[in-house]
C-alpha cells in the first residue's frame, strides 16, 4: 500500500466529504475540493505530467507554497513515481546549485515568482521542463494539470522507491538530503495518525505540509489558511481566528510560535475558541506557558506537545493535563522540559553523551553498556520503521547514524533523560551544552526556569567568553536580571543579559539559533 493508494480509498469511501479548503490565495478566494474531486484532479495531473515526458524515476524540483495546487501536483508525482524535491530557496544560490548537483531535477514546478530564480541560477536554467503553477512565466509551460482527460499509464510503486527529498544545510555546509520512500511515508502515517488522534470527519487548520498528507490519508478535511506560514511567529491572530470560525475548524497542529500569536490575540480581545477539540504543537520547545495559554484559549480542547524531528516524527508526546505540580516544580529546579512517554512504535534510549564522535557499529551488549541510568542526562537515540535510515549519498550518516546488529539507529542530537516512570525530559541540543570547570550544563534546564517569568518572551543559556550567560528576550526593568539570577543560582550563571530579540530558526520561528546568538554576542 502507498499513500496514493490510501488516498484513492478515501475517495471511494468519502467521495463527497471535503478534502481541502484552500484560502491561501487571499482576497476572500476559496478553493474547495472533495475527496472525489481531489482524486479526479490528481489523476488528470498525473496524465498531464506524463504527457510532458515525466515518468517513474524522474525528479521535479517544487517551489509551490502550501495550497491545493501543491497537493494535487505532489500526489500526481507520487502516482507516477516521480520524485518531488524540496529545498529552501532563501538559503542562497550556492545551496540551490549544490542541491541540484546532488539530485538533478528533470522538471521545475514553481509559482511564477520562483521562476525568477532562473536568472541567477544556471542549475535551474538547465532543467529541461519548466512549469509555472498559478500564472505565467517566461520560458515555462503553464500548469494545466487538471485539464487532461486521459489517464496516466499505471505504474508499479515499490516500498523502497523514493517519493520525496528535502534538502537542508549540513553541518559541513554540504546539503543533507532526507529521502522519504513510499514505504517510509506509509509507516510514518501509521504512527502519526494515532499519535495526533486523527479521525475522519474532523476539520484541521493546516500549517505544516507533512501533516496535510496525514490528514488526507485519514479522511480529515484540511483548511489551508490565508496566512504567511513561512513566518508563523508573525501571523495575524485575528485573521486566523476568523478563518477558524468560518470554516468550522475543530483541530490545529502548528508550531508554538503560531499558537503564541493566537494566544496573544485571545488575551487582547478576550475571545475564546470553544469549538476546538484537539491542539497539537511541536517542531520547537513547547514550554508550559504555551500549553497553559492554549488550555485557556480553547477550554474544550485536548492540548498536546509533540516531540519529533524530520528524521523521526513523532517520538513522544505529553498532554497539558498530564503535567503535575511535581513536574512543574521539577522544571523550576532545572530538570528540563517534559516530552512525555515515547510512542509505542519507537525504540528510544538515552546514551552517554558522545555527540560529535561517530558511533559506528555496536553490539546489543555495547548499546546496553552505553545506556545511562534513570534520571541521568545523555544523548537521545531512536529506532523504528518511521525513523529515517540514512541520508542521500550517506552525507550526514557518520554523525547521526549507527547500527546495532544490523538495525539502524538515529542520533537526534538532543540531550535528555528518562525518569523512573519512563517519561522523556528534554535538555536541549547536545551541541549547545556548556562544559567548563564547574561541570556540564544543558540549556533547557536554565531556559525552562527563565520561561516561568511572564516578562521573558524567549531565553537562551550559552557559554560566551568563558562565562555562563543567560540571554533573555525581555525588558530589563523591574530588576529582572537579578531575579533570574537568583532563580538559576543552582546553575552558577555568571551573567543575565536582556536583549530586544533573540535569533530563531526560519522554519518555526521558535528554536534558538545558537550560532547566530554567538555572533550577536560577539564570539
Amino acid at each position: 500500500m502507498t499513500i496514493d493508494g490510501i488516498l484513492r480509498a478515501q475517495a471511494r469511501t468519502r467521495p463527497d466529504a471535503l478534502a481541502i479548503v484552500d484560502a491561501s490565495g487571499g482576497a476572500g478566494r476559496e478553493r474547495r475540493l472533495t475527496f472525489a474531486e481531489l482524486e479526479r484532479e490528481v489523476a488528470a495531473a498525473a496524465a498531464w505530467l506524463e504527457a510532458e515526458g515525466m515518468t517513474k524515476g524522474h525528479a521535479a524540483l517544487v517551489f509551490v507554497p502550501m495550497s491545493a495546487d501543491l497537493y494535487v501536483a505532489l500526489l500526481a508525482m507520487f502516482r507516477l513515481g516521480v520524485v518531488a524535491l524540496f529545498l529552501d530557496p532563501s538559503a542562497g544560490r550556492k545551496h540551490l546549485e549544490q542541491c541540484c548537483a546532488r539530485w538533478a531535477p528533470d522538471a521545475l514546478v514553481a509559482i511564477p515568482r520562483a521562476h525568477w530564480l532562473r536568472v541567477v541560477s544556471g542549475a535551474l536554467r538547465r532543467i529541461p521542463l519548466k512549469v509555472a503553477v498559478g500564472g505565467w512565466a517566461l520560458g515555462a509551460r503553464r500548469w494545466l494539470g487538471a485539464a487532461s482527460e486521459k489517464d496516466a499509464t499505471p505504474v508499479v510503486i515499490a516500498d523502497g522507491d523514493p517519493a520525496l527529498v528535502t534538502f537542508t544545510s549540513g553541518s559541513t555546509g554540504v546539503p543533507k538530503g532526507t529521502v522519504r520512500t513510499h514505504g517510509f511515508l506509509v509507516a510514518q502515517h501509521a504512527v502519526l495518525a494515532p499519535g495526533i488522534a486523527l479521525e475522519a470527519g474532523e476539520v484541521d487548520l493546516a500549517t505544516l505540509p507533512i501533516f496535510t498528507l496525514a490528514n488526507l490519508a485519514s479522511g480529515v478535511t484540511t483548511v489551508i489558511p490565508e496566512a504567511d506560514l513561512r513566518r508563523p511567529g508573525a501571523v495575524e491572530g485575528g485573521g486566523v481566528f476568523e478563518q477558524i470560525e468560518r470554516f468550522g475548524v475543530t483541530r490545529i497542529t502548528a508550531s508554538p510560535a503560531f499558537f503564541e500569536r493566537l494566544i496573544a490575540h485571545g488575551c487582547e480581545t478576550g475571545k475564546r475558541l470553544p469549538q476546538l477539540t484537539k491542539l497539537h504543537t511541536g517542531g520547537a520547545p513547547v514550554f508550559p506557558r504555551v500549553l497553559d495559554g492554549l488550555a485557556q484559549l480553547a477550554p474544550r480542547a485536548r492540548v498536546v506537545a509533540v516531540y519529533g524531528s524530520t528524521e523521526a516524527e513523532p517520538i513522544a508526546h505529553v498532554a497539558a493535563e498530564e503535567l503535575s505540580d511535581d513536574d512543574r516544580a521539577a522544571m523550576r529546579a532545572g530538570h528540563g522540559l517534559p516530552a512525555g512517554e515515547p510512542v509505542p512504535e519507537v525504540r528510544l534510549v538515552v546514551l552517554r553523551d558522545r555527540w560529535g564522535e561517530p558511533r559506528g557499529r555496536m553490539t546489543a551488549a555495547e548499546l546496553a553498556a552505553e545506556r545511562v541510568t534513570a534520571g541521568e542526562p545523555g544523548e537521545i537515540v531512536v529506532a523504528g520503521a518511521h525513523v529515517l535510515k540514512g541520508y542521500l549519498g550517506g552525507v550526514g550518516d557518520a554523525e547521526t547514524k549507527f547500527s546495532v546488529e544490523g538495525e539502524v539507529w538515529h542520533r537526534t542530537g538532543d540531550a535528555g533523560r528518562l525518569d523512573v516512570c519512563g517519561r522523556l525530559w528534554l535538555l536541549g541540543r547536545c551541541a549547545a551544552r556548556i562544559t567548563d570547570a564547574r561541570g556540564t550544563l544543558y540549556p533547557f534546564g536554565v531556559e525552562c526556569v527563565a520561561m516561568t517569568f511572564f516578562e521573558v518572551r524567549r531565553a537562551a543559556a550559552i557559554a560566551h567568553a568563558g562565562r555562563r550567560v543567560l540571554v533573555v528576550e525581555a525588558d530589563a526593568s523591574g530588576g529582572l536580571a537579578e531575579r533570574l539570577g537568583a532563580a538559576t543560582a543552582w546553575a552558577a550563571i555568571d551573567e543575565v543579559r536582556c536583549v530586544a530579540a533573540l535569533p530563531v530558526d526560519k522554519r518555526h520561528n521558535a528554536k534558538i539559533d545558537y550560532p547566530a546568538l554567538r555572533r550577536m554576542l560577539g564570539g
Side-chain angles (χ1 to χ4, degrees):
M1 180 63 76
T2 64
I3 289 293
D4 178 57
I6 295 172
L7 291 172
R8 290 197 203 202
Q10 290 291 350
R12 290 192 299 270
T13 58
R14 303 175 55 79
D16 300 323
L18 277 175
I20 295 176
V21 179
D22 182 3
S24 64
R29 291 173 294 189
E30 297 173 18
R31 182 180 175 192
R32 294 172 178 252
L33 292 174
T34 66
F35 280 94
E37 290 167 340
L38 176 62
E39 164 58 25
R40 285 194 290 272
E41 290 210 13
V42 170
W48 186 81
L49 284 170
E50 184 182 47
E52 293 295 321
M54 298 297 288
T55 60
K56 182 179 179 180
H58 283 168
L61 179 59
V62 182
F63 290 145
V64 180
M66 277 189 69
S67 60
D69 281 337
L70 171 63
Y71 291 101
V72 169
L74 182 60
L75 295 171
M77 293 175 196
F78 287 174
R79 186 161 299 184
L80 288 176
V82 170
V83 184
L85 309 178
F86 293 88
L87 59 87
D88 181 5
S90 68
R93 184 169 64 89
K94 179 180 178 181
H95 178 73
L96 194 156
E97 300 281 325
Q98 287 178 320
C99 293
C100 289
R102 300 211 57 218
W103 196 310
D106 301 284
L108 171 65
V109 179
I111 57 175
R113 185 172 68 251
H115 279 275
W116 282 103
L117 291 169
R118 289 190 274 135
V119 174
V120 297
S121 171
L124 294 191
R125 290 195 297 273
R126 288 190 292 271
I127 295 175
L129 174 64
K130 303 172 184 67
V131 179
V133 178
W136 174 89
L138 183 66
R141 299 293 304 275
R142 185 162 185 174
W143 173 258
L144 296 174
S148 176
E149 296 181 357
K150 300 179 180 180
D151 289 328
T153 304
V155 177
V156 176
I157 305 294
D159 285 351
D161 290 337
L164 60 89
V165 179
T166 53
F167 286 100
T168 57
S169 297
S171 59
T172 62
V174 178
K176 192 163 60 175
T178 301
V179 183
R180 295 179 178 88
T181 65
H182 287 270
F184 180 89
L185 289 177
V186 172
Q188 185 177 57
H189 168 66
V191 181
L192 264 180
I196 59 174
L198 293 173
E199 296 182 53
E202 294 181 309
V203 181
D204 181 70
L205 186 79
T207 66
L208 303 168
I210 195 66
F211 288 94
T212 300
L213 288 178
N215 285 347
L216 294 172
S218 300
V220 172
T221 300
T222 294
V223 174
I224 303 173
E226 180 187 355
D228 186 357
L229 298 178
R230 297 168 301 175
R231 300 176 63 240
V235 299
E236 200 279 303
V240 176
F241 259 64
E242 188 275 330
Q243 292 175 80
I244 289 170
E245 295 167 352
R246 173 157 46 109
F247 298 123
V249 171
T250 60
R251 57 176 298 144
I252 306 174
T253 302
S255 73
F258 181 92
F259 278 128
E260 285 172 351
R261 300 301 300 154
L262 299 191
I263 292 168
H265 182 75
C267 291
E268 291 165 5
T269 62
K271 291 182 178 180
R272 296 292 180 264
L273 295 168
Q275 68 271 50
L276 295 177
T277 59
K278 296 174 186 175
L279 300 176
H280 291 80
T281 182
V286 182
F287 294 102
R289 69 162 58 168
V290 173
L291 299 179
D292 295 341
L294 289 176
Q296 293 181 6
L297 180 69
R300 293 182 57 240
R302 188 166 193 262
V303 181
V304 180
V306 181
Y307 168 58
S309 67
T310 299
E311 297 84 358
E313 182 73 68
I315 294 174
H317 49 69
V318 61
E321 69 266 20
E322 294 170 354
L323 296 179
S324 67
D325 290 342
D326 287 343
D327 292 333
R328 292 173 184 267
M331 283 184 266
R332 291 192 295 271
H335 287 209
L337 187 64
E341 293 184 8
V343 298
E345 297 85 355
V346 76
R347 289 181 296 286
L348 182 150
V349 297
V350 179
L351 305 180
R352 292 188 180 90
D353 187 351
R354 302 186 189 279
W355 185 253
E357 304 173 20
R359 286 192 180 270
R361 293 186 177 89
M362 301 173 70
T363 65
E366 288 171 333
L367 179 71
E370 281 288 292
R371 295 179 71 160
V372 299
T373 58
E376 187 179 352
E379 177 188 338
I380 301 168
V381 300
V382 293
H386 72 295
V387 177
L388 191 76
K389 302 299 184 287
Y391 299 103
L392 177 62
V395 174
D397 286 357
E399 64 189 58
T400 63
K401 308 293 179 185
F402 67 98
S403 64
V404 179
E405 299 183 357
E407 181 178 36
V408 176
W409 286 70
H410 172 65
R411 306 173 71 180
T412 64
D414 292 327
R417 56 164 61 94
L418 288 168
D419 64 20
V420 293
C421 298
R423 299 178 305 167
L424 180 65
W425 292 67
L426 302 176
L427 294 169
R429 297 295 288 171
C430 294
R433 67 179 180 263
I434 300 170
T435 303
D436 55 25
R438 288 166 286 186
T440 298
L441 179 69
Y442 287 99
F444 276 12
V446 180
E447 293 165 15
C448 273
V449 177
M451 292 298 288
T452 63
F453 287 69
F454 75 91
E455 307 101 313
V456 176
R457 293 181 292 275
R458 290 190 178 94
I462 192 171
H464 175 63
R467 309 178 75 218
R468 294 182 174 188
V469 182
L470 172 60
V471 188
V472 296
E473 187 176 306
D475 189 326
S477 61
L480 177 62
E482 291 76 13
R483 289 186 286 126
L484 283 168
T488 57
W490 54 269
I493 297 296
D494 297 304
E495 178 187 0
V496 177
R497 187 180 301 190
C498 299
V499 298
L502 278 166
V504 293
D505 67 297
K506 294 180 180 179
R507 183 183 177 196
H508 295 295
N509 298 167
K511 294 180 181 178
I512 300 298
D513 185 337
Y514 287 97
L517 176 57
R518 287 189 176 88
R519 292 192 295 271
M520 187 176 87
L521 295 176

